[in-house]
Amino acid sequence: MTKKGVALSIENPTGEPPFRNRELPLPERVADLLGRLTAAEKIALLHQWQPAVPRLGLGAFRTGTEALHGVAWLGRATVFPQPIGLASTWNPDLVRAVGDATGTEVRGFHHKDPVAHGLNVWAPVVNPLRDPRWGRNEEGYSEDPLLTSVMGTAYAAGLRGDHPVYLKTAPTLKHFLGYNHETDRCTTSSVLRARVLHEYEFPCFRGPVAAGAAVAVMPSYNLVNGRPAHLTPYLDDHLRSWTDSEIAVISDAWAPSNVAGLQAYHDDDVAGHAAMLRAGLDSFTDHDADPATTIANVTEALERGLITEEHVDRAVTRLLTLRARLGELDPPELNPYASITEDVIDAPEHRALALEAARQSIVLLKNDGLLPLDPSDNGKIAVIGAHAGTVFEDWYCGTLPYAVTPLEGITRLHSGETTFAEGVDRISLTTGNGRFLAFSPEGRAVLEDHWSDASAFDLFEWGQDVVTLRSVLTGRYVASTRDGELVMERTMPGGWDVMELFELVPLGGDTCLLRNTVLNQYVAAHGDGIRFVDARGEAARWRLEVDRSGLAQAIAHAAAADVAIVVAGNDPHVNGRETQDRADLDLPPRQAELIRAVRQVNPRTVLVVVSSYPYALVHENEHVPAILWSSHGGQELGRALAEVLSGEVSPSGRLTQTWYRGVESLPDLFDYDIIKSRGTYLYFEGDPLYEFGHGLSYTTFSYGPLTVSAASVWQREEFEVSVEVTNAGDRPGAEVVQLYGTQRESRVVQPLRKLLAFHRVRLEPGESRVVRFPLRGRDFWHWDVVSGRPVVETSVHGLWVGTSTVRRSRGEVLVIGEGIALRGPVVRPEDFDDCSGVTLVDETRERGTAVESTEAGGWVLLGDARIGENVVRCTARVAGRAGEVVVRIGDHARGRLLCTFTVPEDSDPHSWHEINTPVDSELGAHDLFVVFTAPGMRLARLEFTVNRQCERSHLRR
C-alpha cells in the first residue's frame, strides 16, 4: 500500500531499499518501489515512453519493440517467414525456436540502445484468421483457435525465455479482441455473441496467457459489441482471470485518442483516459514519444474525481512488475539475458533456423507427378514472374541482412541452363506534344524531348487498378511526396503510406491519366515541369507505349524451356496490409493471364505462389500440373524453395486456413458470427478449393485403424486416441497427423469438424510409428449461454485422423456429461440461439451487453425457456427508440403471443426503463421469439415473475 508517494516499507540493515532486496517476494518489492514514487512520477510512467527516475536508480523504459517474425524497424536483423508461414509448419518446437532467436536479437538491440530499443515486444498476433480478406492476414497463424493458441504460445514462450526468474523479453499478445478487418477499423463494432467469444476468440488469447508465455496484451482498435475494445470489461473479467500473474495491458498506437475522437464514446479525452484506466488499461501509446497529453489527461481525471490514485497505482504496479521481471531491479550479472550483445544479431545459427523455418513452411498444393524436379537434369528451366527475382518485405519485417530470391535458389541448384523473364511490360509515357516523362540523376521528374533509359519504366499491375512503375535506369520506383513532387526514392514500395501506388486511368486507346492513389491527385505536365493537381481536367493526358511486352517475353522463355516455373503472388505493401482489406480472393488479372499463357506453351509448368493469404486458384488448379505455396519466407525463401522443387527437401507444410473457390463463399467481412454465417472450416458447408490442413508430400503415408482406448468416458476422465502411421513411399518425409471430431447430438449448432490435436512426425521410408493423442472428456466442451459456463453434453463424438480435415481413419467415443438447463426466470437476449435484423451493443458505457434492432421485424430466438403456470408478469429492461417489443412462442411471425412491451422514445441509448406487463403463461419449455417493431430499440433483460402465493399453495397441496 502507498500513501501520497511515501514508502511504507522498512530499509534493509545494509541501507539497500527493499525494492532492491532479491530475498523479498516480487509483489513486496514492487509495492515498496511504488510507495517511493510521487504522484507525478507515477502518472508519467503510464505513457509508452516512461521517463527515468534518477533518484531511485530507475532508468527510462519504452514499450513496443516490433518482433512479429524477427526484429522489425531497428535495422538489419534475421527475417523469418511471416507468421502465417511459421504456423504452416505445424511445428510448435520450431516456432518456439524462432521466437527464442528473435528474443535474443531483441536483447542484442537493447544492448546497443537500452532506451529506444525496449524489451517489451509487440508480438505475437493471435487474432484467429476468420476471413482471408483481412489485410493483416499475414500476421496471424490460423483460422482455428487451437492451432492459433498453440503457435501463439510457442512463439511467445520463445520470446519470453525459459529462465525461472527473469524474462528475456516481455511478449504482448495482439489484438484483444474481435479484430479481423481493416476497413473502418477504428469506428466499426465487432459483434461477438457469447459462444463465438468463448469458443473462438478467447481460446486464442487464453492459451498463451494461461501458459505464462505472454505477460502483456494489447487491445484492438475496433469496438466490441458497441464498446471500444480499450474499454472492454473482458480485460479484468476474463483476461486477467486466466493467470495468477500480473498482465500488463498496453494500448495500440494512438488508440487512447480515438475513444473521445474517432469513436466519440466519451465527451473528452480526460473522460476517455479515466475510463480506460478503470477498465484495466495500464500504458498509453499515444502522441508518439510525447507524454504531455497523457500526463495532462490523467492528472485532470484525478482532479475531476473520474479516477482515484488507486487506479493509477494499480496500473503502475503492473508496469513495474513487468520491468522487474525483465531484471531492472537487480544487478545485471544475475540476469543471464543482460549479457547478450549485438553480436547475436543475424548470427549463423539464426540464419540456419531461418532456412529450416522456410523449408518446413512450404505447402505443396497440387502435384500431378511433375515434382520433384531432377537437379542433375541438364534441361533448360525458365523462371518467370516478378516474384522470382525479389524477396518482398512487409510492414512488420526487419531489414533483410541478405536475400536469396527464388531465381537465385533455383539457379544454384539446377545444373542446366536457367533463364529468367520478369513478365512485365516495359513502357514509356509521353505528353500530347511528344515529350517523355523521365527522371534526373537526382531522382526528380522532368520532361525530355527524346527517349532514353531514363524514360523507360517497368509496369507492375497488382489488381484493383493499382500499378507501380520502376525505373529501368535506376531500379527505383516512381513515387509522390506529400508536397506533390514526383520522385524516385525506394528500391521497393513501402512505408506507412505507400506513395508508389498509381492508377492508369484509361481515356480510350493508348491514352490515360496518371493518378496517385494515396494522394488522390493527378500528374500534370506544364512546360518543363511536373506537378500534381486535384482536378482531373487539369491532368496531363499521357500516351502509354509498350516498348517490350512482358507477356511475349515470358511466352518465348517458357516455350524454349523444358520446365517453366512461374512465381506469382502479392506485394505485402500493396495488396492487403494494415489499414487495407482485400476486395476479393483473385490473383491480379495480369498474373493470372501470365500463368495461362505460360501453361499453354509449356505443359510442364510449375506455379509457385508467394503470398500473405489464400487465393482462389480455381483455373490454375484445373490446368497447372504442380502448385506450391509459401508465405513471404524471409531471407532464405529462395534457397528453401529450390530445395523443395528439386526434392532435396520433401514438402511438409500444411494449410492453416481454408482456400475457397471465390469470394462468394465468404460471409460479409464484418460478420463475426461464424456459427450463424457458417464461417471458417469449422462450419463451412461448401466445397473448398483446398481444405484446412491440406498439404501434399513427395512420399506417401498410410494410416492404420483408429484406436480409441474407451468406448465411453465421463467428462472428467482421460482416454487416448492412437493410430499407426507408415511412410509407404521411397523418400523420407514429415507428416502432420491431425485429429478431428464432431459432436453428433446437441441442443445447439455444433462445428461440422473441429481440430482436437495434431502431431508432426518424421518417418524414413518404410518406417512406422504409433501417434498417440491423450484427451479428456472435458475437451469436448462448448459454451452454454444458459448457465454462462463451459459444459459437456452427453453425446457421441465422431473422431477421425488424416492429413487434413478429409477423413482417413475413423472412430467414436461416448462422452457422458450433463443436460442443459432451461432458461429462466431471468433471460438475457444477448444469449440468443438465432437472430435476424439485430446487433449487440453496450448496455452501459462500462459493463453489460444488450440487443439492438437494426430493422423493423428484427428478432432473437431464445430456445428452451421455462414458462411455468405460476408466471404472472414479465419485466423488460429497454432503451432506445420507441416501438413495441413482442414476445411470441414458437415462431417470430405467427407464434402465440406471450406479452407485448410498449417502449417510450428516449434519445439516450443508455437510459434504461423497466417495463412490466402481465403474462398469459403456458406450461413447459418453449422457444421464445422476441420481435422488435422498429429499428434502434434496445433490450437488455427479460425477467419472469412467479406468483409466490400460488406457488406456496401448490407446494402445500
Side-chain angles (χ1 to χ4, degrees):
M1 297 290 293
T2 63
K3 184 177 181 181
K4 296 183 180 180
V6 179
L8 302 183
S9 303
I10 302 174
E11 305 286 343
N12 288 333
T14 61
E16 187 180 61
F19 73 85
R20 297 288 183 188
N21 184 354
R22 297 181 300 281
E23 301 301 319
L24 291 177
L26 182 59
E28 292 185 25
R29 299 177 68 187
V30 171
D32 176 74
L33 177 56
L34 180 73
R36 297 170 186 273
L37 295 168
T38 66
E41 288 170 337
K42 288 187 286 189
I43 292 172
L45 294 179
L46 298 178
H47 189 261
Q48 177 187 23
W49 291 81
Q50 301 176 24
V53 185
R55 65 183 182 83
L56 296 177
L58 197 65
F61 184 84
R62 176 183 181 270
T63 66
T65 295
E66 299 290 355
L68 190 63
H69 54 115
V71 183
W73 304 359
L74 302 185
R76 178 181 58 85
T78 307
V79 178
F80 298 95
Q82 292 174 312
I84 185 66
L86 292 175
S88 299
T89 67
W90 293 61
N91 188 341
D93 293 336
L94 177 66
V95 173
R96 178 169 182 150
V98 171
D100 182 60
T102 301
T104 297
E105 295 199 6
V106 169
R107 276 283 179 175
F109 279 103
H110 181 69
H111 185 268
K112 290 171 62 176
D113 189 337
V115 176
H117 302 164
L119 295 176
N120 167 242
V121 293
W122 288 357
V125 170
V126 292
N127 299 105
L129 302 181
R130 169 192 62 95
D131 193 309
R133 292 170 293 184
W134 185 30
R136 302 180 75 168
N137 192 83
E138 66 204 33
E139 298 182 32
Y141 293 115
S142 173
E143 67 182 306
D144 178 74
L146 172 65
L147 187 56
T148 297
S149 173
V150 169
M151 292 302 174
T153 300
Y155 192 76
L159 289 170
R160 180 197 185 284
D162 56 7
H163 194 275
V165 175
Y166 300 110
L167 302 174
K168 180 183 288 188
T169 69
T172 302
L173 301 181
K174 302 196 295 187
H175 311 80
F176 191 85
L177 188 67
Y179 178 37
N180 195 222
H181 68 274
E182 297 301 297
T183 307
D184 300 327
R185 63 178 180 173
C186 294
T187 56
T188 52
S189 177
S190 301
V191 177
L192 301 173
R193 60 163 154 154
R195 282 196 62 200
V196 176
L197 193 68
H198 288 274
E199 295 174 23
Y200 193 66
E201 291 279 344
F202 278 167
C204 302
F205 292 86
R206 183 169 188 162
V209 169
V215 298
V217 171
M218 174 187 290
S220 52
Y221 282 118
N222 53 281
L223 296 88
V224 176
N225 296 340
R227 183 182 294 108
H230 280 69
L231 300 179
T232 179
Y234 300 146
L235 292 173
D236 280 344
D237 292 354
H238 294 287
L239 173 68
R240 288 192 165 110
S241 73
W242 300 333
T243 177
D244 293 331
S245 301
E246 292 282 18
I247 293 292
V249 177
I250 297 167
S251 88
D252 209 336
W254 290 83
S257 291
N258 288 343
V259 171
L262 287 173
Q263 295 166 341
Y265 198 75
H266 281 284
D267 293 336
D268 56 37
D269 284 327
V270 175
H273 280 57
M276 282 180 271
L277 281 170
R278 292 196 304 269
L281 188 77
D282 303 315
S283 178
F284 294 82
T285 312
D286 211 6
H287 292 271
D288 298 325
D290 183 4
T293 299
T294 296
I295 292 172
N297 287 332
V298 175
T299 301
E300 186 174 342
L302 279 166
E303 293 169 352
R304 285 162 52 175
L306 300 177
I307 54 172
T308 66
E309 188 174 349
E310 183 180 353
H311 291 105
V312 175
D313 286 355
R314 182 179 66 178
V316 174
T317 294
R318 292 172 182 146
L319 296 172
L320 292 177
T321 299
L322 184 148
R323 293 175 63 170
R325 295 182 69 190
L326 287 166
E328 261 194 73
L329 304 185
D330 297 338
E333 58 268 19
L334 298 180
N335 181 354
Y337 303 127
S339 61
I340 296 174
T341 70
E342 56 264 40
D343 293 339
V344 302
I345 299 172
D346 188 33
E349 58 270 26
H350 295 175
R351 293 187 173 193
L353 183 61
L355 175 58
E356 184 58 28
R359 286 169 177 153
Q360 293 191 26
S361 69
I362 295 172
V363 182
L364 180 60
L365 298 175
K366 177 187 177 182
N367 187 20
D368 284 353
L370 178 56
L371 295 179
L373 304 175
D374 185 354
S376 64
D377 189 342
N378 291 323
K380 182 186 291 187
I381 293 180
V383 182
I384 297 166
H387 285 66
T390 304
V391 172
F392 287 86
E393 299 176 354
D394 59 45
W395 176 243
Y396 289 104
C397 179
T399 302
L400 292 160
Y402 63 91
V404 182
T405 68
L407 175 62
E408 292 170 336
I410 293 167
T411 301
R412 292 177 189 178
L413 278 184
H414 179 49
S415 59
E417 180 183 358
T418 303
T419 66
F420 173 57
E422 201 163 23
V424 298
D425 289 344
R426 183 158 292 176
I427 68 163
S428 56
L429 295 167
T430 57
T431 61
N433 59 2
R435 305 195 74 189
F436 289 86
L437 175 65
F439 282 83
S440 69
E442 296 78 28
R444 294 291 181 263
V446 295
L447 292 173
E448 293 186 346
D449 294 325
H450 304 286
W451 183 93
S452 69
D453 284 346
S455 56
F457 305 97
D458 291 325
L459 175 65
F460 298 86
E461 300 179 76
W462 297 107
Q464 305 296 313
D465 299 323
V466 174
V467 303
T468 53
L469 297 165
R470 185 183 63 197
S471 168
V472 172
L473 182 65
T474 66
R476 296 182 181 274
Y477 283 80
V478 177
S480 168
T481 67
R482 282 288 176 190
D483 297 329
E485 288 189 87
L486 199 63
V487 298
M488 289 189 308
E489 295 177 344
R490 294 179 179 270
T491 57
M492 187 177 294
W496 179 252
D497 293 314
V498 186
M499 307 301 288
E500 292 83 5
L501 305 186
F502 291 87
E503 178 188 2
L504 299 173
V505 183
L507 297 177
D510 57 359
T511 306
C512 64
L513 306 179
L514 187 61
R515 182 180 74 91
N516 184 277
T517 63
V518 177
L519 296 179
N520 193 24
Q521 292 182 329
Y522 298 88
V523 178
H526 293 273
D528 291 333
I530 298 292
R531 64 186 179 90
F532 279 88
V533 294
D534 295 321
R536 177 181 172 126
E538 298 177 19
R541 300 169 67 91
W542 300 96
R543 178 174 177 270
L544 188 153
E545 183 172 342
V546 177
D547 302 320
R548 186 197 68 194
S549 167
L551 196 61
Q553 180 197 41
I555 290 172
H557 279 258
D562 296 287
V563 175
I565 302 174
V566 182
V567 190
N570 78 305
D571 180 337
H573 281 102
V574 178
N575 307 91
R577 50 155 293 174
E578 187 168 356
T579 74
Q580 176 189 327
D581 295 310
R582 286 195 295 164
D584 54 43
L585 304 179
D586 300 333
L587 278 169
R590 187 65 169 178
Q591 292 189 26
E593 182 184 12
L594 179 70
I595 295 165
R596 286 186 175 92
V598 170
R599 170 61 182 84
Q600 189 170 358
V601 299
N602 193 327
R604 291 169 56 80
T605 294
V606 179
L607 172 60
V608 176
V609 178
V610 181
S611 71
S612 308
Y613 38 64
Y615 281 111
L617 304 176
V618 177
H619 183 275
E620 293 75 16
N621 186 63
E622 291 176 357
H623 296 92
V624 179
I627 304 176
L628 285 161
W629 172 79
S630 171
S631 73
H632 293 278
Q635 60 201 47
E636 288 286 359
L637 168 65
R639 196 189 322 267
L641 178 61
E643 290 176 351
V644 170
L645 287 167
S646 67
E648 187 172 317
V649 170
S650 182
S652 60
R654 302 291 184 265
L655 296 180
T656 67
Q657 287 180 276
T658 304
W659 284 45
Y660 298 95
R661 294 181 178 272
V663 70
E664 63 278 357
S665 298
L666 295 172
D668 185 271
L669 178 66
F670 299 104
D671 189 349
Y672 280 74
D673 191 344
I674 62 170
I675 302 174
K676 183 174 176 59
S677 67
R678 316 306 287 172
T680 76
Y681 89 97
L682 293 160
Y683 297 94
F684 184 57
E685 295 173 322
D687 178 28
L689 179 66
Y690 305 119
E691 70 275 3
F692 177 84
H694 172 72
L696 305 177
S697 175
Y698 292 153
T699 189
T700 303
F701 297 98
S702 63
Y703 284 70
L706 189 69
T707 300
V708 183
S709 65
S712 63
V713 295
W714 292 90
Q715 60 176 307
R716 296 191 179 278
E717 288 184 315
E718 298 180 352
F719 68 106
E720 182 181 85
V721 176
S722 60
V723 64
E724 184 177 66
V725 182
T726 301
N727 183 346
D730 58 2
R731 291 172 176 269
E735 170 70 312
V736 178
V737 184
Q738 303 164 40
L739 175 66
Y740 295 90
T742 185
Q743 184 170 330
R744 292 182 179 162
E745 294 182 359
S746 177
R747 193 193 77 82
V748 296
V749 175
Q750 291 288 351
L752 300 174
R753 57 199 73 84
K754 180 180 180 181
L755 182 68
L756 299 175
F758 63 92
H759 184 70
R760 183 184 172 100
V761 55
R762 181 173 177 80
L763 300 172
E764 295 297 318
E767 184 182 1
S768 297
R769 191 172 306 173
V770 176
V771 177
R772 303 181 187 279
F773 297 109
L775 297 172
R776 300 165 300 175
R778 62 176 176 264
D779 292 335
F780 296 87
W781 66 274
H782 75 270
W783 186 260
D784 174 37
V785 297
V786 177
S787 59
R789 61 183 176 86
V791 300
V792 177
E793 289 181 288
T794 297
S795 176
V796 173
H797 291 258
L799 304 172
W800 68 94
V801 291
T803 57
S804 68
T805 57
V806 176
R807 292 167 168 82
R808 295 287 288 269
S809 297
R810 308 186 189 196
E812 65 179 32
V813 63
L814 170 63
V815 179
I816 304 170
E818 58 186 290
I820 302 299
L822 299 177
R823 298 178 194 264
V826 177
V827 178
R828 293 200 64 90
E830 65 173 295
D831 294 328
F832 56 79
D833 290 317
D834 198 2
C835 70
S836 177
V838 301
T839 189
L840 294 179
V841 292
D842 53 334
E843 183 175 358
T844 70
R845 293 195 184 276
E846 298 209 350
R847 305 194 68 81
T849 301
V851 169
E852 180 179 270
S853 57
T854 57
E855 59 186 50
W859 53 266
V860 296
L861 164 63
L862 302 163
D864 293 337
R866 182 178 182 180
I867 309 293
E869 63 177 332
N870 298 318
V871 171
V872 295
R873 183 170 297 277
C874 186
T875 303
R877 179 171 166 83
V878 296
R881 292 280 304 277
E884 290 186 335
V885 177
V886 181
V887 183
R888 294 183 180 273
I889 293 175
D891 184 85
H892 67 91
R894 296 177 297 276
R896 177 161 109 55
L897 179 65
L898 189 65
C899 57
T900 300
F901 302 91
T902 301
V903 182
E905 184 75 40
D906 197 320
S907 58
D908 184 358
H910 299 112
S911 180
W912 292 92
H913 306 277
E914 303 282 339
I915 301 178
N916 295 289
T917 188
V919 172
D920 184 10
S921 64
E922 182 173 313
L923 287 173
H926 302 282
D927 289 343
L928 297 185
F929 283 86
V930 182
V931 186
F932 303 89
T933 61
M937 303 179 69
R938 291 189 167 196
L939 178 65
R941 187 181 70 248
L942 292 174
E943 184 172 356
F944 294 94
T945 303
V946 175
N947 186 326
R948 296 297 180 187
Q949 183 175 358
C950 292
E951 186 177 56
R952 286 194 296 271
S953 175
H954 175 75
L955 289 174
R956 284 196 297 270
R957 292 198 300 269

